[in-house]
């Protein structure tokens, strides 16, 4: 039997279990670095399917790697499984995880025959925005020896090369001094005013940044009582630019807005994190072309989306992986429009029949792409020529 047909037969045989895995993760949303159940369910399934599974790798309790096959070409498939606060799996990472598992199992069926080894890397906390799972796993060697990386991400439409830009998330804390807000307000130092000044400064800054930049955040602590001058406030902000280089120019300008808040009010400022940003994504066009062809064989189509450069941008730590090795991050459509990622309406769309089909199609298109990489001499040799050092 042809390798691709064998991979498809294997995926068909485990399709109910992959669908069940997607639904189970969806019904049990877990936040970044706390994805205990999801990581265990995935690891157990891959163990049963004969993968060599290592859990809690690189000092991360909810990361894992699972390897099968012994061929010279090492392809890794990234599985994400973290959810968002309050709105659950509104980014559909249950679909990403189940598709990755399906792809790995299907590709493993043909791996030795075509000269492939396939590793599913469980990458926690993609939604964290700073020092995400893939960044820590890259730093700590989980991707060593890999020649290429891939994953699929659900979206309203099929889209091969989403605009993935650099991003940096950080926490801001101001400390002032409490006082009775009516009796002795002159004795207080208002840490909430510091945030107001900072937000005003950021609002003015917006006139002078690139249309492709993004600055957005939330106040996570604004005070404790209206009759007490707030002494401790906090916020979480994300700054994004097209590339890491542009981000490094924008981020200090935003920090200065927060410094302005401290200066104006006499509060002290602390900024935590932001130093391990998500990078822009470099899509490997050879791998993209293979994935496109395989997805089209399954009946998917990729019309040109006429999207301006500053619209529809996202960020992911898969960008960092793409700077280390040839990578793809196609969006797999679940027919959810107008519901889109990070809306609770999208959460509901991530366990529909269309979502389940995206799991299957994403899995098979990735498995076939891995098989193509091993069988087609030109791309195989290009990938083998360079791998992340062990
Ligand atoms: Zn997301
Ligand atoms: Zn996502």
């Amino acid at each position: 039997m042809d390798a691709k047909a064998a991979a498809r037969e294997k995926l068909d045989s485990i399709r109910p279990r992959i669908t069940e895995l997607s639904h189970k993760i969806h019904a049990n949303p877990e936040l970044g670095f706390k994805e205990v159940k999801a990581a265990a369910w995935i690891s157990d399934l891959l163990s049963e399917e004969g993968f060599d599974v290592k859990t809690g790798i690189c000092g991360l309790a909810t990361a894992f790697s699972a390897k099968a096959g012994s061929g010279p070409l090492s392809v890794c498939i990234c599985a994400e499984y973290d959810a968002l606060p309050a709105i659950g799996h509104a980014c559909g990472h249950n679909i990403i995880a189940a598709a990755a598992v399906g792809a790995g199992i299907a590709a493993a069926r043909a791996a030795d025959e075509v000269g492939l080894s396939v590793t599913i890397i469980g990458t926690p906390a993609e939604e964290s925005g700073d020092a995400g799972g893939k960044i820590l796993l890259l730093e700590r060697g989980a991707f060593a020896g890999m020649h290429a990386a891939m994953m699929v991400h659900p979206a309203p439409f099929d889209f091969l090369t989403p605009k993935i830009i650099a991003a940096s998330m950080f926490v801001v804390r101001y400390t002032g001094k409490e006082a009775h807000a009516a009796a002795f307000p002159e004795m207080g130092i208002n840490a909430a005013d510091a945030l107001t000044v900072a937000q005003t400064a950021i609002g003015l800054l917006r006139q002078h940044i690139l249309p492709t930049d993004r600055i957005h955040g939330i106040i996570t602590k604004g005070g404790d009582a209206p009759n007490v001058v707030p002494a401790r406030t906090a916020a979480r902000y994300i700054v994004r630019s097209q590339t890491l280089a542009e981000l490094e120019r924008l981020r200090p300008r935003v920090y200065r807005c927060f410094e302005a808040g401290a200066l104006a009010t006499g509060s002290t400022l602390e900024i935590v994190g932001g130093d391990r940003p998500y990078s822009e994504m470099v899509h490997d066009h050879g791998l993209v072309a293979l994935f496109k062809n395989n997805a089209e064989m399954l009946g998917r189509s990729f019309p040109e989306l006429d999207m301006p450069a500053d619209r529809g941008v996202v960020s992911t730590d898969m960008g960092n992986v793409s700077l280390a090795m040839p990578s793809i991050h196609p969006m797999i459509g679940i027919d959810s429009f107008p519901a889109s990622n990070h809306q609770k309406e999208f959460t509901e769309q991530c366990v529909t029949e269309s979502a389940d089909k995206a799991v299957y199609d994403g899995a098979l298109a990735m498995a076939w792409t891995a098989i193509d990489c091993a069988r087609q001499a030109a791309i195989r040799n290009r990938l083998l020529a360079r791998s992340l050092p062990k």
Side-chain angles (χ1 to χ4, degrees):
M1 190 189 288
D2 171 69
K4 283 190 172 178
R8 180 175 214 155
E9 188 184 76
K10 180 66 195 177
L11 184 63
D12 287 343
S13 76
I14 55 152
R15 187 171 187 169
R17 300 197 65 190
I18 300 294
T19 307
E20 186 201 351
L21 177 69
S22 170
H23 291 200
K24 222 159 55 167
I25 294 172
H26 185 273
N28 292 272
E30 300 169 295
L31 297 181
F33 296 121
K34 294 178 182 148
E35 314 96 323
V36 180
K37 290 179 195 164
W41 289 329
I42 299 166
S43 304
D44 289 350
L45 178 49
L46 290 168
S47 282
E48 278 174 45
E49 288 293 329
F51 278 71
D52 175 16
V53 179
K54 294 189 173 66
T55 56
I57 58 168
C58 300
L60 302 174
T62 57
F64 66 86
S65 75
K67 183 171 185 256
S70 55
L73 184 74
S74 296
V75 171
C76 67
I77 300 166
C78 293
E80 298 173 1
Y81 30 79
D82 58 325
L84 289 155
I87 50 176
H89 274 292
C91 210
H93 292 188
N94 59 302
I95 295 170
I96 299 176
V101 170
I105 294 172
R109 171 70 179 73
D112 286 341
E113 181 194 333
V114 299
L116 184 67
S117 70
V118 56
T119 304
I120 298 162
I121 302 184
T123 65
E126 187 279 327
E127 295 287 1
S128 74
D130 180 61
K134 294 185 201 68
I135 293 174
L136 301 176
L137 290 167
L138 273 168
E139 285 176 7
R140 299 173 190 179
F143 287 87
M146 298 297 153
H147 297 105
M150 57 178 90
M151 60 176 284
V152 291
H153 196 301
F157 317 106
D158 284 302
F159 189 34
L160 287 168
T161 52
K163 183 94 183 137
I164 291 170
I165 65 172
S168 171
M169 193 281 293
F170 51 90
V171 173
V172 175
R173 292 195 197 110
Y174 286 111
T175 306
K177 186 173 170 42
E178 294 94 346
H180 193 293
F184 297 102
E186 69 279 9
M187 294 174 73
I189 296 174
N190 195 321
D193 287 353
L195 271 174
T196 304
V197 171
Q199 288 183 309
T200 305
I202 289 168
L204 293 169
L205 178 65
R206 292 186 194 281
Q207 184 185 355
H208 306 288
I209 62 176
L210 297 169
T212 42
D213 290 337
R214 295 284 185 277
I215 307 167
H216 49 96
I218 57 164
I219 293 174
T220 51
K221 184 171 173 58
D224 294 306
N227 56 358
V228 179
V229 171
R232 264 168 295 277
T233 58
R236 287 156 64 93
Y237 261 75
I238 300 179
V239 177
R240 309 192 201 218
S241 293
Q242 285 192 104
T243 61
L244 280 178
E246 284 182 5
L247 184 68
E248 287 317 304
R249 288 194 286 276
L250 176 63
R251 194 155 52 114
R253 299 171 73 197
V254 176
Y255 282 6
R256 284 204 292 277
C257 295
F258 287 106
E259 288 163 15
L263 189 65
T265 59
S267 305
T268 56
L269 167 68
E270 185 190 11
I271 294 179
V272 181
D275 50 353
R276 271 132 132 190
Y278 289 15
S279 80
E280 67 274 20
M281 172 105 194
V282 178
H283 302 279
D284 185 275
H285 290 290
L287 290 175
V288 168
L290 293 177
F291 180 88
K292 176 173 188 278
N293 189 43
N294 286 316
E296 283 172 350
M297 303 266 278
L298 298 170
R300 294 197 168 255
S301 60
F302 301 90
E304 286 294 317
L305 293 183
D306 193 18
M307 192 93 87
D310 63 339
R311 300 293 301 160
V313 296
V314 293
S315 304
T316 163
D317 52 6
M318 192 65 181
N320 302 65
V321 176
S322 81
L323 297 192
M325 70 193 71
S327 301
I328 57 169
H329 184 286
M331 309 305 277
I332 190 122
I334 61 168
D335 303 322
S336 65
F337 197 76
S340 186
N341 304 57
H342 292 206
Q343 293 182 305
K344 70 177 184 333
E345 292 81 1
F346 193 79
T347 310
E348 294 156 19
Q349 296 287 329
C350 287
V351 281
T352 59
E353 220 170 279
S354 190
D356 296 345
K357 180 143 194 331
V359 169
Y360 178 87
D361 289 353
L364 196 53
M366 284 195 286
W368 283 353
T369 300
I371 290 168
D372 284 338
C373 288
R375 284 203 301 202
Q376 296 184 14
I379 193 152
R380 181 183 66 234
N381 293 337
R382 175 168 72 85
L383 296 176
L384 281 172
R386 184 175 152 271
S387 71
L388 211 57
K390 281 196 181 173

